[in-house]
Amino acid sequence: MSTAVALKPTQRLTGFMPLIALAALVAALTIADPDFLTQRSLIAVARTAAPLIVLAAGATLVVLCGGIDLSIAALASLSTVFLALWLPDLGGLATPAVILVAATIGAVQGVAHVLLRIPSFIVTLGGMSILSAVALVVSGAGTVRVVDDSTVRWLDLYLAGYVPMSAAMAIIVVALIAVVLKVTPLRSWISATGYSESAARLAGTPVDLVKIGAFCVSGACAGLAAVMLVSRQFSGGPTMADNLLLPAVAAIVVGGTAITGGHGSVWRSLAGALVVTLLRVGLPIVGVPSAYEQILYGAIIVVAVALTLDRSKVSTVK
Amino acid sequence: MTVTSEVVNAPRRQSRRGASFRDAGPPVALIVIFLIFAALSPQFRSTDNVQNIVDAAAVLAVVTCGITFVLMMGSIDLSAAGVMGACALTVSLLVANNRNDNDFGLLGIAVAVLLGCAFGCVSGLALVLLKVPSFMATLGMSAVGLGVATLMFAGVQPNISDTMVKGLAIERFLGFSYLTWIAAVCILVGWLIQRYTRLGRYAFAIGGAEEVLLLSGVKVNPYKVAVFALAGAFYGLGGVMVTSQLGAGLVQAGDGYDFSAITAAVVGGTLLTGGRGGILHSAVGVMLVMVLTNGLVQIGVSPYWQGGVEGLIVVAAVAAAVIPQRRRNQVVK
Amino acid sequence: MSVPALEVRGLVKHYPGVKALDGVDLVVQQNEVLGLAGENGAGKSTLLKALVGLVAPDAGSIYVRGEPVRLRSVVDAANHGIGMVFQEQSLVPNLTAAENIVLGSEGPAVRRGVYRWEVMRRLAQEQLDKIGSPIDPLARTDSLSFADRQMVEIAKVLRIEERTQHPPVVILDEPTSVLESKEIDTLFAQIRRLREFATVIFVSHRLDEVLDVCDRVSVLRGGQSVGEVATAGAVPRELHRMMIGSTGSDDHYHENAAATVGSEQPRLSVRGLSGTTFQDISFDVAPGEIVSIVGVHGSGREDVCRALFGAEPTTAGEIRMDGKKIDLPSTRAACAAGIGYVPAERKLEGMVGAMSVAENMTLAKQQARCAGPFVAPKKQATLVDSWIRRLSIRTPGRDTAIQRLSGGNQQKVVLARWLVAGDIRLLLLDHPTRGLDIGARSEVYRLMRELAATGVATVLLADSLEEAIGMADRILVMNDGRVATEVACPNGAKPSPLDLVKEMV
Amino acid sequence: SEQAAGGNDTAAGGSAACDPSAVKLVGQVRNESNPYEASWLAGGDAFAKSVGLTQERLTYDGDSTKQQEQISQILAGDTKCLVMNVLPNGDSDTAPIVKGADQAGAYLVTQWNKPADLKPADYKTWLSHITYNGVESGQQIGDALATAIGGSGGIIALQGVLDTAAAKDRFVGLQNSLKKNTGVTLLDQQAANFSRAEALTVTKTLLTKHGDKVKGIWAANDDMALGALEALQQAGKAGKVAVVGIDAVPDAVSAVKAGTMTATVSSDGSWQGGIGLAIGFCAATGKLKVEDIAAANRAFFAEQFLITKDNAAEFAAPKTNPADFECGNVFNRVAGPLT
Ligand SMILES: Nc1ncnc2c1ncn2[C@@H]1O[C@H](COP(=O)(O)OP(=O)(O)OP(=O)(O)O)[C@@H](O)[C@H]1O
Ligand SMILES: Nc1ncnc2c1ncn2[C@@H]1O[C@H](COP(=O)(O)OP(=O)(O)OP(=O)(O)O)[C@@H](O)[C@H]1O
Ligand SMILES: [Mg+2]
Ligand SMILES: [Mg+2]
């Protein structure tokens, strides 16, 4: 039964919940360690969060369509390898080339999902292993150093001396996706696909294309995240971004996007990514011991999701 | 009354055919893959190796038993890694070991399994009380489990000297290690639960149509929690088994089991959306995954490529298995 | 006179933006079949849900056999002997029929959490025997036909008998909307049998049915009781007048407005179309023509319809629109070719429940609300509002989630989806009036006529044979996946239902 | 400017010596859940205590990005008297850590992983890079294994995480050893990712694949060697196959002592945890001038020993000598410059 709830003020609040959670977390960390709330510290968080934001923003589209993309991190790793390998020859063109290739790989997975009718969870889980293997082989199972990083260094610089370029870039990507969704019928198509794929299809929605498109954007975002990582690490590595998978998914869900599809937004993922980043770096920095850090991370993330999820939009929580 | 008989018969004939096809996919895939490896490698088809595959499958089978119930409900469980770590440390600190003077034997195992159960319970409660999607609730619980395990680890590896626990991995009965028999019992118990208990059937029903259960006045929340608790108990047992195999309590005891178990269950034909599949499906899935891992090593695929080839074959196997169910307007998430 | 089985006084229920119940009064006597009639959104389902503890009323009281009660849950209601068959089927598809029947009240079938399948089968069999259904209790529910599932639902609701010493109250919310006439007859036989030992509340939008099976009809309008009619001697018109407050048109099917069928090139021409459940289907539909396809469950007519919309694969045959051969690899292609489809399963396939009325209405024809590639909010608002008005859709606003609307209004939104762009050439309507009240249905018929008049070809899978005959210019009878015969159906020379039934089986 | 927001600090570089009590000591390793790294952090704690400070313990779960994130967060704080003793997750992680620390003027000692062309000598506050000679240790245990199986027969190799220098160097060592011991054949090699559990399964499979041809198992670290030992026990081959590893974790040393394992190579976690902080502390407090550090000591191999049954008792309870951490002695264990 759908539960009907009046649009009480508390309800409107759920839209801002990710931001409230973020603010609460910053406050808590500041209380734990007053040195934490410095401009430099927050700038560092923003810079740190940039690749995660981009990864999460892309994957959000897949989640909105009702699927999941578990390959983003492996794809980002592979992209760092490609970028590092291509920079010497392609120079400035390497960045668009890598993003293009990543987008293509994402689209291929989307096509496999749509045509073979395999759940996206499985396609992208398989994709994850395959991409990791390719990355290992292509890189010769080692780090590929970037000697001349002049064409990607801009991402590691600071706008006006303060705003990390990568963070600005991440926000631009989020804004771009959000605006495109807002002003075109895409938003309707994606939501319909996510809420009820069969109804969407019988209303003539290009469900397959929408899904493939979502995977494609997700791939492109993984590529861009890879560029950010390379600009930060001065190298590419076959497992470089692998550990960003669960944080990225966590960011999406903490933002309040329904993992079952339909409801959510990329803005929410932006807030979610900041929350997750704060938890990842903030807890150890303010001196929480490693074991307790994990326990706290687990507990806080569950509570954060409990706060941010708009239950009037999601009938059954599975 | 030709009309009624027509009405009754026509659809039934159809769906039976569908059902038999549907369940045949994974076993057929298993046989095909087995035969291919057997043809490619003589060592692969040796009795020793088949025993080895079955033995190696034991832990994954137990973990998959647990996760199957969760998947049947349409939920997902990523807490295996953390829960197994915590339970592995618990059992290794409770049976005879090099860190303390405990020697609780079987009781230690029971406590570890109960701890797993408790973890599952908390995940379930987070799901039903806080309405946190299971994906996140269990991911969080996994982190908590790892943290608890690290606390118990405290810098010194607990090595177990309990002969009973170590013996589980070493002693054999009819050619298979005790752990394998434990796994077999788990599968049997799991199957009985799935088929003959309210818990199992309701888990299945929740995946089929949760809202209908509510309309029928069934309180589903206790069952959901119970399913997660049951799954947690299986993970706990899995942690004990890993400890027995490794002779030590490792925080990383459960590394990778979360995704492998889900893969195994799905490859076996359990739907991530819930409502279909079961323990026997999962058992087939586990064997499929283990045959693959073992076979790739046996035929000498480069370690660099193994993960990739495995991923490719899993995708192909699932694709092949869904061919009989393919419809135009089918929903695949 | 004995105490009423059930009595409702001044029940009130608010939903955001609507007053679903506005002080309803209702009295149900023991061993009576009470009909409940009212327009879509009149509050029937809400009232009934309040009676089984699913909706907590804001005010008012419920008396069971004279005792005031507060019903908190389905179990609570069942303990008072009240059970309901819901408007949407509510069985767990992947359980056996037996489990569904005993669900929530397993009793001896489950001992300490352990199933005793044999006992369960026996219990279920007893229930099925009560209604004389030949279903195998251990069959999986999703392998049963729609009609059988409805029987399972009734068998299930009769389980409440075991919970109380008193005669049960059985509530049936639009049980017939998904049934065929044969099955409806079976159901009515069951209801008459039920009446021997139970009290029944029956809801249907088919007023003739209501008058046929009920002893008394209570009419709701806008969440209030507006009157009662004893069915003996009553006619549908009278009921209808009470429901909407004025007399409906005599010409229910708007036959006077029937379009002149273009005789030139056929709009749709199907030749030798075959798929998994149908073979060698050939027929034409001219512009402005309405062609009904009739057949029993399993005749494959639904799949033909879906195949014409690209939602079902075909193995052979060709489809031409206005003489041009078209390929339908996807629903999108069908959409682009000017074909529209209204699926029968509205909740699952027709609408996206969580999305707004406006979004649902413009889902298929995005261009209608866009300027270039961009959504134009103003344009969308005007467009949607005009269609809400034109089809008198009852909704708090265009941004309300469609799942909050009553069934009939939802259906209107789904229909409007194909009309907003005005480029529709062929409409495939699968049970378009399922669950619609008589007024709304009449509206849909009028709409169909209007569209036909503008040259739109229509393929209709009607809700009833009467509807099929009333609306169609020509009828295609399907039997076992093939076209059995084609019957012309012009105004004034309509075939009789009996003739058609002969061909159908 | 294009300087990082955090970078406009005066690069300390020993310009003003810090007050010993103002020094902030940071030790960063992968996790606290394995014995080697736990002993590293304990060693760091012990050193910190000896100078009246505490060590800030950071762990990053073997997650490269998390390591970078923590480092940049640390460097965004007060970096004036910051000393970091870091275990980079992989070669690729070293460069950004070094560049960040250099910009912020934090004293840095790295261990284990570093790309060959990145040299401490090119930086002001990157004091030293310490590692063990993986080629040498891989070869040493390879030779020990060859001797143990009598100079001829088949062995299998368990590799570490394939994209780490340690795994690769050690394997190169094995290959060198194989060139020398021509009677020994490498039957198979698989990656078990430095993990005990993975080593267990891989070994079991390889044992059935090659059967009795397997006379010895070469593992790139002790955890995997211990996993292999369990596999042997489960296959009923305990004692029949020689096993060697690297790292000298306590369990492995006792196994060597008990004779179930043939050899391992010492790498002293608690010394590593202390020495990095010690070098940094000496530099920060001005007792050690960066310019004075000999070129050979800016990147060096630390002493390591082959542990066999004969000398296992000495290593059973590794003792760190506090004297090793005195500013004059910090380079006592240098075995040679990085090649
Ligand atoms: N869960 C809900 N949330 C919000 N509004 C609701 C909800 N359920 C019903 N309503 C509103 O209450 C009113 C009465 O709905 P109800 O379903 O009772 O009508 P009905 O008479 O059963 O109509 P139908 O014949 O179409 O089934 C409608 O306007 C509907 O939009
Ligand atoms: N893809 C499929 N595979 C196998 N059987 C199918 C498939 N699709 C439909 N069927 C079966 O084919 C038969 C035809 O179904 P269909 O729904 O088209 O009948 P119908 O005549 O439209 O019934 P109704 O009167 O309810 O509209 C049914 O028995 C159905 O169960
Ligand atoms: Mg209703
Ligand atoms: Mg039908």
Side-chain angles (χ1 to χ4, degrees):
Chain A
M1 285 284 92
S2 61
T3 43
V5 196
L7 215 64
K8 293 178 207 124
T10 51
Q11 179 117 20
R12 285 202 204 95
L13 217 59
T14 55
F16 294 99
M17 266 306 172
L19 290 179
I20 293 172
L22 185 60
L25 194 58
V26 172
L29 289 172
T30 311
I31 291 168
D33 178 0
D35 293 343
F36 187 78
L37 193 67
T38 63
Q39 187 194 25
R40 281 170 54 174
S41 193
L42 293 181
I43 288 173
V45 168
R47 172 172 173 268
T48 292
L52 189 64
I53 294 173
V54 175
L55 272 184
T60 303
L61 292 184
V62 178
V63 171
L64 283 177
C65 288
I68 192 157
D69 190 347
L70 298 178
S71 72
I72 41 173
L75 180 51
S77 295
L78 175 61
S79 303
T80 63
V81 172
F82 281 150
L83 183 61
L85 288 174
W86 294 345
L87 268 176
D89 295 334
L90 296 183
L93 283 180
T95 302
V98 157
I99 295 177
L100 199 71
V101 166
T104 313
I105 294 175
V108 167
Q109 294 188 77
V111 170
H113 162 56
V114 163
L115 285 191
L116 300 177
R117 310 285 161 98
I118 318 172
S120 54
F121 192 97
I122 297 296
V123 172
T124 54
L125 194 63
M128 180 165 100
S129 347
I130 297 168
L131 296 174
S132 292
V134 173
L136 263 184
V137 173
V138 170
S139 66
T143 306
V144 185
R145 293 254 291 138
V146 173
V147 183
D148 171 22
D149 66 348
S150 52
T151 50
V152 290
R153 198 170 51 211
W154 61 275
L155 264 174
D156 206 34
L157 301 182
Y158 290 77
L159 262 181
Y162 290 111
V163 184
M165 194 72 97
S166 50
M169 197 64 203
I171 291 174
I172 291 174
V173 168
V174 169
L176 198 69
I177 296 178
V179 167
V180 168
L181 288 193
K182 183 142 183 75
V183 302
T184 66
L186 272 174
R187 173 75 232 199
S188 263
W189 282 344
I190 290 176
S191 298
T193 304
Y195 280 125
S196 171
E197 193 180 316
S198 46
R201 199 185 292 273
L202 289 179
T205 300
V207 170
D208 292 347
L209 281 181
V210 166
K211 284 180 161 185
I212 294 171
F215 275 99
C216 183
V217 174
S218 176
C221 283
L224 179 59
V227 178
M228 291 178 171
L229 285 172
V230 170
S231 78
R232 193 163 95 181
Q233 302 261 92
F234 318 111
S235 63
T239 56
M240 183 175 276
D242 283 7
N243 285 302
L244 285 181
L245 171 60
L246 292 179
V249 178
I252 295 171
V253 184
V254 166
T257 293
I259 196 97
T260 44
H263 170 70
S265 74
V266 282
W267 288 115
R268 286 170 166 273
S269 297
L270 168 68
L274 289 172
V275 168
V276 170
T277 304
L278 276 179
L279 284 177
R280 274 161 66 86
V281 300
L283 289 180
I285 297 298
V286 303
V288 179
S290 152
Y292 292 102
E293 176 206 330
Q294 283 178 311
I295 296 177
L296 269 181
Y297 175 81
I300 294 177
I301 225 154
V302 169
V303 172
V305 176
L307 285 178
T308 52
L309 191 64
D310 181 355
R311 284 179 202 79
S312 67
K313 290 280 173 25
V314 188
S315 47
T316 46
V317 180
K318 287 279 187 183
Chain B
M1 281 301 290
T2 41
V3 185
T4 21
S5 69
E6 170 93 20
V7 165
V8 174
N9 290 336
R12 222 179 266 175
R13 194 179 53 227
Q14 300 280 3
S15 62
R16 281 238 178 96
R17 191 191 57 189
S20 57
F21 253 135
R22 205 188 256 181
D23 295 341
V28 169
L30 173 61
I31 293 169
V32 168
I33 290 176
F34 188 91
L35 290 179
I36 292 176
F37 281 129
L40 290 177
S41 149
Q43 295 98 353
F44 177 84
R45 51 179 191 260
S46 70
T47 336
D48 268 1
N49 191 51
V50 174
Q51 263 176 17
N52 175 30
I53 294 177
V54 176
D55 279 347
V59 179
L60 185 61
V62 171
V63 176
T64 310
C65 268
I67 230 163
T68 302
F69 283 99
V70 178
L71 295 182
M72 266 187 335
M73 289 201 305
S75 297
I76 203 161
D77 194 341
L78 299 177
S79 68
V83 173
M84 287 173 76
C87 294
L89 262 295
T90 308
V91 74
S92 59
L93 290 176
L94 286 179
V95 301
N97 68 86
N98 65 342
R99 284 261 306 269
N100 54 33
D101 298 331
N102 291 341
D103 185 8
F104 294 108
L106 271 181
L107 186 64
I109 297 184
V111 171
V113 172
L114 276 181
L115 179 73
C117 203
F119 269 109
C121 212
V122 177
S123 302
L125 288 174
L127 169 69
V128 304
L129 296 184
L130 298 179
K131 299 278 190 301
V132 175
S134 54
F135 194 105
M136 258 355 261
T138 54
L139 203 57
M141 204 42 63
S142 188
V144 173
L146 288 176
V148 169
T150 310
L151 275 184
M152 288 194 276
F153 174 80
V156 184
Q157 186 87 64
N159 290 313
I160 53 173
S161 43
D162 188 306
T163 44
M164 185 266 299
V165 176
K166 288 199 79 167
L168 292 179
I170 297 166
E171 308 286 333
R172 286 170 180 279
F173 175 67
L174 296 181
F176 296 109
S177 80
Y178 282 2
L179 289 184
T180 307
W181 291 106
I182 293 181
V185 170
C186 282
I187 291 176
L188 180 68
V189 169
W191 182 74
L192 289 175
I193 292 178
Q194 176 197 327
R195 186 147 173 71
Y196 287 103
T197 69
R198 178 148 33 194
L199 180 63
R201 293 302 292 178
Y202 277 8
F204 200 55
I206 290 171
E210 184 176 342
E211 57 299 337
V212 173
L213 289 180
L214 293 170
L215 285 183
S216 307
V218 175
K219 292 198 172 60
V220 293
N221 285 352
Y223 292 98
K224 285 186 170 178
V225 177
V227 163
F228 277 94
L230 178 70
F234 276 113
Y235 307 153
L237 185 59
V240 172
M241 292 166 73
V242 173
T243 307
S244 149
Q245 283 183 340
L246 298 177
L250 264 66
V251 178
Q252 299 85 355
D255 261 17
Y257 276 106
D258 37 14
F259 280 109
S260 332
I262 294 173
T263 309
V266 172
V267 168
T270 296
L271 278 190
L272 285 175
T273 40
R276 215 184 68 210
I279 296 292
L280 297 183
H281 291 81
S282 293
V284 172
V286 169
M287 285 318 294
L288 233 164
V289 170
M290 293 316 295
V291 163
L292 256 182
T293 335
N294 180 287
L296 290 180
V297 176
Q298 295 286 6
I299 63 170
V301 172
S302 139
Y304 288 66
W305 279 114
Q306 268 169 29
V309 175
E310 204 176 315
L312 202 61
I313 298 182
V314 163
V315 171
V318 175
V322 298
I323 285 177
Q325 317 156 28
R326 208 166 292 174
R327 281 184 296 111
R328 246 325 146 78
N329 193 29
Q330 180 191 3
V331 178
V332 185
K333 290 245 162 151
Chain C
M1 198 172 152
S2 64
V3 279
L6 208 60
E7 195 175 343
V8 171
R9 288 277 161 248
L11 222 55
V12 175
K13 178 71 193 175
H14 291 273
Y15 282 122
V18 274
K19 212 168 193 183
L21 298 180
D22 190 9
V24 178
D25 298 320
L26 188 75
V27 178
V28 193
Q29 301 299 343
Q30 303 213 1
N31 294 11
E32 152 180 73
V33 180
L34 174 77
L36 203 54
E39 287 182 286
N40 290 127
K44 302 178 296 294
S45 298
T46 310
L47 169 62
L48 299 180
K49 280 181 191 159
L51 291 178
V52 287
L54 277 175
V55 162
D58 300 333
S61 38
I62 299 171
Y63 304 85
V64 178
R65 287 174 292 275
E67 298 288 320
V69 292
R70 281 203 53 194
L71 302 168
R72 288 184 190 80
S73 67
V74 183
V75 180
D76 221 9
N79 289 335
H80 284 97
I82 308 173
M84 172 158 163
V85 174
F86 295 94
Q87 185 166 358
E88 295 88 34
Q89 277 204 345
S90 50
L91 296 175
V92 184
N94 56 349
L95 293 186
T96 59
E99 284 172 286
N100 269 300
I101 289 172
V102 301
L103 193 64
S105 64
E106 286 90 347
V110 181
R111 220 3 110 64
R112 291 206 189 83
V114 177
Y115 266 44
R116 302 197 297 176
W117 280 102
E118 191 41 42
V119 178
M120 177 169 306
R121 198 193 60 77
R122 213 189 58 232
L123 285 182
Q125 190 67 60
E126 278 167 21
Q127 297 305 320
L128 289 168
D129 286 348
K130 272 188 202 165
I131 54 168
S133 167
I135 303 166
D136 172 10
L138 295 187
R140 254 178 77 124
T141 313
D142 53 8
S143 72
L144 298 175
S145 71
F146 224 100
D148 281 347
R149 279 186 255 164
Q150 199 75 19
M151 292 301 139
V152 173
E153 295 237 33
I154 292 169
K156 171 181 173 179
V157 80
L158 288 180
R159 276 284 290 170
I160 54 169
E161 264 189 289
E162 329 300 319
R163 293 204 179 181
T164 109
Q165 302 82 359
H166 305 282
V169 178
V170 176
I171 299 172
L172 304 168
D173 194 359
E174 294 194 44
T176 54
S177 63
V178 290
L179 297 184
E180 313 233 320
S181 60
K182 274 278 179 230
E183 298 156 1
I184 291 173
D185 289 346
T186 324
L187 176 71
F188 282 5
Q190 298 307 335
I191 293 179
R192 292 194 180 100
R193 262 172 57 179
L194 276 179
R195 189 218 234 131
E196 308 290 317
F197 57 91
T199 307
V200 178
I201 304 178
F202 175 85
V203 180
S204 172
H205 287 298
R206 301 176 182 162
L207 300 181
D208 46 339
E209 281 176 358
V210 177
L211 294 175
D212 180 14
V213 77
C214 299
D215 303 313
R216 201 161 53 92
V217 183
S218 184
V219 179
L220 289 188
R221 187 167 67 212
Q224 290 175 324
S225 334
V226 290
E228 274 181 20
V229 186
T231 53
V235 290
R237 272 189 69 178
E238 193 180 334
L239 262 185
H240 189 199
R241 190 185 48 73
M242 288 177 73
M243 278 166 56
I244 59 170
S246 67
T247 336
S249 146
D250 261 345
D251 185 12
H252 188 51
Y253 294 116
H254 301 277
E255 283 169 30
N256 297 332
T260 37
V261 174
S263 55
E264 64 284 15
Q265 198 177 42
R267 169 60 46 84
L268 170 74
S269 167
V270 180
R271 288 291 170 269
L273 200 66
S274 297
T276 35
T277 52
F278 51 89
Q279 292 82 38
D280 197 18
I281 307 289
S282 303
F283 65 95
D284 290 336
V285 186
E289 190 180 26
I290 298 176
V291 171
S292 281
I293 308 182
V294 300
V296 294
H297 271 311
S299 60
R301 57 181 184 153
E302 191 170 328
D303 288 344
V304 169
C305 220
R306 289 171 89 92
L308 291 178
F309 192 62
E312 190 71 42
T314 54
T315 51
E318 67 167 35
I319 303 168
R320 284 174 187 279
M321 285 281 283
D322 290 322
K324 226 178 93 217
K325 190 170 178 302
I326 54 168
D327 266 334
L328 296 176
S330 70
T331 54
R332 182 112 190 106
C335 242
I339 306 176
Y341 174 58
V342 175
E345 296 251 11
R346 189 193 322 129
K347 280 258 150 70
L348 287 178
E349 299 188 334
M351 61 184 216
V352 184
M355 285 168 60
S356 70
V357 168
E359 279 178 301
N360 268 287
M361 203 184 277
T362 51
L363 196 53
K365 303 282 176 188
Q366 295 290 347
Q367 72 272 20
R369 65 164 176 156
C370 287
F374 302 114
V375 174
K378 280 243 179 64
K379 190 172 171 191
Q380 160 169 329
T382 333
L383 178 80
V384 172
D385 286 346
S386 79
W387 280 97
I388 288 178
R389 238 174 300 117
R390 211 165 140 188
L391 304 183
S392 25
I393 298 170
R394 282 185 54 176
T395 166
R398 75 183 99 86
D399 293 325
T400 309
I402 192 172
Q403 64 195 2
R404 300 239 177 110
L405 268 53
S406 75
N409 287 307
Q410 291 170 348
Q411 188 70 317
K412 290 186 198 166
V413 175
V414 175
L415 247 170
R417 171 185 297 165
W418 300 110
L419 314 180
V420 288
D423 63 350
I424 194 81
R425 292 197 286 166
L426 168 68
L427 254 184
L428 307 165
L429 304 177
D430 188 356
H431 299 84
T433 58
R434 181 175 282 179
L436 263 60
D437 70 37
I438 183 166
R441 231 181 301 163
S442 191
E443 291 272 323
V444 171
Y445 298 145
R446 192 176 48 80
L447 208 65
M448 285 169 66
R449 296 287 185 207
E450 270 179 38
L451 289 168
T454 62
V456 173
T458 307
V459 173
L460 170 70
L461 308 194
D463 222 12
S464 62
L465 270 182
E466 289 67 31
E467 180 179 297
I469 295 167
M471 288 308 296
D473 297 309
R474 205 147 40 88
I475 293 182
L476 231 54
V477 184
M478 275 189 71
N479 186 353
D480 204 14
R482 288 171 189 281
V483 179
T485 184
E486 223 181 279
V487 183
C489 193
N491 264 347
K494 298 279 185 190
S496 89
L498 273 178
D499 296 339
L500 293 178
V501 171
K502 253 190 286 172
E503 298 289 342
M504 280 161 61
V505 295
Chain D
S1 85
E2 37 173 72
Q3 287 277 298
N8 23 24
D9 253 282
T10 51
S15 50
C18 295
D19 183 46
S21 65
V23 175
K24 184 171 163 195
L25 300 176
V26 174
Q28 190 192 38
V29 293
R30 294 198 181 92
N31 47 48
E32 285 188 38
S33 58
N34 76 61
Y36 169 72
E37 276 155 287
S39 71
W40 168 307
L41 288 180
D45 282 345
F47 168 77
K49 203 167 155 215
S50 72
V51 294
L53 294 170
T54 50
Q55 172 192 225
E56 184 168 345
R57 301 158 69 118
L58 293 180
T59 57
Y60 55 85
D61 299 323
D63 174 347
S64 296
T65 40
K66 192 167 173 187
Q67 172 168 46
Q68 298 304 329
E69 292 166 11
Q70 287 179 353
I71 296 277
S72 53
Q73 208 63 44
I74 280 281
L75 293 177
D78 186 5
T79 55
K80 213 165 147 270
C81 299
L82 181 63
V83 171
M84 300 193 294
N85 179 26
V86 174
L87 166 54
N89 195 33
D91 287 2
S92 55
D93 302 299
T94 315
I97 296 173
V98 167
K99 291 191 185 170
D102 189 57
Q103 247 171 34
Y107 297 98
L108 173 71
V109 174
T110 52
Q111 309 206 32
W112 283 118
N113 299 317
K114 166 182 96 59
D117 55 352
L118 198 66
K119 298 192 173 73
D122 299 338
Y123 296 85
K124 244 207 211 132
T125 57
W126 183 16
L127 304 171
S128 193
H129 178 81
I130 308 172
T131 187
Y132 290 97
N133 190 338
V135 181
E136 185 187 292
S137 43
Q139 185 166 358
Q140 277 179 350
I141 58 165
D143 292 346
L145 187 65
T147 319
I149 62 173
S152 72
I155 63 164
I156 54 179
L158 302 177
Q159 288 228 54
V161 177
L162 289 175
D163 72 336
T164 60
K168 284 194 226 162
D169 287 350
R170 290 169 186 185
F171 191 66
V172 169
L174 171 65
Q175 283 166 326
N176 292 348
S177 157
L178 286 172
K179 269 184 221 133
K180 223 165 62 187
N181 300 289
T182 43
V184 181
T185 46
L186 182 62
L187 297 171
D188 217 320
Q189 46 124 341
Q190 291 289 330
N193 297 326
F194 291 134
S195 140
R196 190 157 168 165
E198 281 185 52
L200 174 82
T201 13
V202 169
T203 309
K204 275 187 176 174
T205 308
L206 291 181
L207 283 177
T208 45
K209 180 171 175 187
H210 300 287
D212 289 336
K213 279 187 280 181
V214 180
K215 299 276 184 276
I217 298 174
W218 179 96
N221 80 344
D222 280 344
D223 261 342
M224 293 194 292
L226 291 169
L229 279 181
E230 294 294 335
L232 288 172
Q233 202 170 17
Q234 284 166 32
K237 290 189 173 173
K240 295 188 194 127
V241 178
V243 177
V244 292
I246 296 175
D247 275 354
V249 301
D251 292 345
V253 176
S254 23
V256 171
K257 208 166 125 198
T260 47
M261 210 170 126
T262 303
T264 180
V265 171
S266 74
S267 38
D268 189 342
S270 61
W271 174 76
Q272 285 180 283
I275 196 68
L277 296 181
I279 295 174
F281 182 78
C282 293
T285 50
K287 292 187 194 133
L288 184 69
K289 293 263 177 293
V290 182
E291 310 84 73
D292 297 347
I293 304 177
N297 292 347
R298 294 295 292 268
F300 65 90
F301 287 128
E303 278 179 327
Q304 57 184 354
F305 309 95
L306 183 70
I307 303 175
T308 56
K309 200 165 172 157
D310 309 327
N311 61 355
E314 292 170 39
F315 291 90
K319 297 172 284 285
T320 359
N321 183 357
D324 280 350
F325 299 144
E326 278 165 22
C327 292
N329 300 339
V330 285
F331 295 111
N332 269 2
R333 287 209 194 178
V334 175
L338 216 60
T339 43

